[in-house]
Amino acid sequence: TALLELKHVAKKYNTGTMALSDVNFSVSKGEFVSIIGPSGAGKSTLIRCINRLIDASGGEVRLDGVNVLNLNKRALQQTRVKIGMIFQHYNLVERLSVIDNVLHGRLGYKNVITGSLGIYTSDEKKQAIEILHSLGLEEQVYKRCDQLSGGQKQRVGIARALIQEPKLLLCDEPIASLDPNASKVIMDHLRSICSRLGITVLVNLHQVDVAMKYSDTIIGMRKGSVVYNGSAQGMKAET
Ligand code: ADP
Ligand code: ADP
């Protein structure tokens, strides 16, 4: 069954750029899907339309059958809890500790960005520490984020998303700032989050080889349109 369904999604920026035109695809529960394509293809715009960081100009984005594009502010907040976000530049509050960044995830990432502090129970702290351990960050729990490597920061970003217990993890170029070793660690974690926790993963990548190695399905984009939607094996046959 489809967790996410896009129908005729379009985005025209007020500069006149048609970043997306008539994008249609669906993502099943538990699927690992990569979106690939050259710079400017619309990958990042697409991700931002799904969680409504920006507003699409038309179409439908259905999550669990509900059209996200129609939701009022309050309903949108409730839906966004189901969507974890991972960013290329991590978007952590650098001056705060790792665990504080993760605990902020419970409030939704808007609060994370503003750095507003919440109050947490000991159970929530325990959960945050467990998640950090599962991502190999045992030693970093109380460190400030500005002391971490890029790969460690991205794992904090993943932990912050996981504490929301999301159904869908949206990752916008999660490894674009990382070296090959750190990239592999991040992709392995994303793959295992999908396989073991059953969380659906939708990830923007510009490395075709990485997409082919990790994905169930690949969506190829060019100039705002989907030009390929199929298996990694099928991609190999085409190229
Ligand atoms: P990708 O993520 O595949 O590199 P983007 O979604 O960033 O592609 O960009 C798609 C197109 O939309 C590009 O032509 C880009 O210049 C344009 N674009 C992206 N963001 C904005 C914006 N905020 N305002 C105007 N145009 C934008
Ligand atoms: P990235 O590849 O990391 O998404 P970009 O250079 O595409 O970085 O975009 C950086 C920022 O500039 C984004 O917030 C994007 O929305 C904005 N942007 C990108 N292209 C344009 C554009 N043509 N006009 C206005 N803003 C843009």
Side-chain angles (χ1 to χ4, degrees):
T1 50
L3 174 71
L4 180 70
E5 252 190 305
L6 277 72
K7 292 181 183 169
H8 311 300
V9 174
K11 173 63 185 179
K12 186 180 182 177
Y13 284 107
N14 52 24
T15 52
T17 303
M18 203 64 195
L20 299 174
S21 42
D22 199 26
V23 171
N24 299 277
F25 64 84
S26 68
V27 177
S28 304
K29 281 196 178 112
E31 202 176 359
F32 194 112
V33 179
S34 293
I35 303 175
I36 62 170
S39 186
K43 305 181 296 294
S44 172
T45 299
L46 185 63
I47 290 255
R48 284 182 276 174
C49 284
I50 293 171
N51 72 346
R52 274 185 54 185
L53 267 178
I54 57 174
D55 285 316
S57 317
E60 296 175 15
V61 173
R62 292 192 178 274
L63 184 71
D64 271 338
V66 175
N67 186 3
V68 177
L69 304 187
N70 284 343
L71 299 176
N72 63 26
K73 245 186 170 173
R74 196 196 174 94
L76 179 61
Q77 277 180 341
Q78 287 165 354
T79 292
R80 274 187 175 152
V81 174
K82 299 185 197 171
I83 306 176
M85 276 296 297
I86 310 289
F87 303 92
Q88 176 179 352
H89 300 292
Y90 327 119
N91 291 14
L92 303 174
V93 185
E94 294 272 333
R95 68 189 158 78
L96 291 183
S97 68
V98 165
I99 186 162
D100 279 341
N101 270 274
V102 175
L103 286 166
H104 275 141
R106 288 179 47 263
L107 306 173
Y109 75 93
K110 283 256 155 149
N111 302 63
V112 174
I113 287 169
T114 58
S116 63
L117 283 163
I119 295 164
Y120 311 106
T121 66
S122 59
D123 274 355
E124 287 160 352
K125 276 196 175 172
K126 215 176 115 192
Q127 191 193 2
I129 291 168
E130 268 171 26
I131 293 171
L132 287 167
H133 284 202
S134 76
L135 293 162
L137 293 169
E138 295 86 350
E139 315 264 291
Q140 281 77 31
V141 174
Y142 297 104
K143 282 197 175 151
R144 271 171 62 136
C145 284
D146 52 17
Q147 298 178 309
L148 305 184
S149 70
Q152 290 170 337
K153 286 181 187 178
Q154 193 58 293
R155 280 182 276 154
V156 177
I158 294 172
R160 182 183 59 192
L162 288 183
I163 204 164
Q164 287 173 228
E165 299 178 359
K167 293 190 165 186
L168 174 66
L169 202 52
L170 293 179
C171 314
D172 193 1
E173 298 284 1
I175 58 170
S177 305
L178 302 178
D179 65 40
N181 288 332
S183 295
K184 183 179 184 304
V185 171
I186 295 302
M187 291 306 297
D188 286 345
H189 279 302
L190 293 178
R191 182 67 240 188
S192 117
I193 285 162
C194 181
S195 307
R196 294 197 201 165
L197 304 179
I199 295 172
T200 307
V201 175
L202 184 62
V203 55
N204 282 354
L205 292 170
H206 58 255
Q207 305 91 325
V208 181
D209 55 330
V210 176
M212 295 217 273
K213 180 175 168 195
Y214 286 93
S215 314
D216 299 317
T217 300
I218 292 179
I219 292 174
M221 289 193 65
R222 200 169 286 265
K223 295 181 182 166
S225 296
V226 173
V227 294
Y228 179 85
N229 182 351
S231 67
Q233 285 85 342
M235 267 272 308
K236 270 183 211 152
E238 236 177 60
T239 51

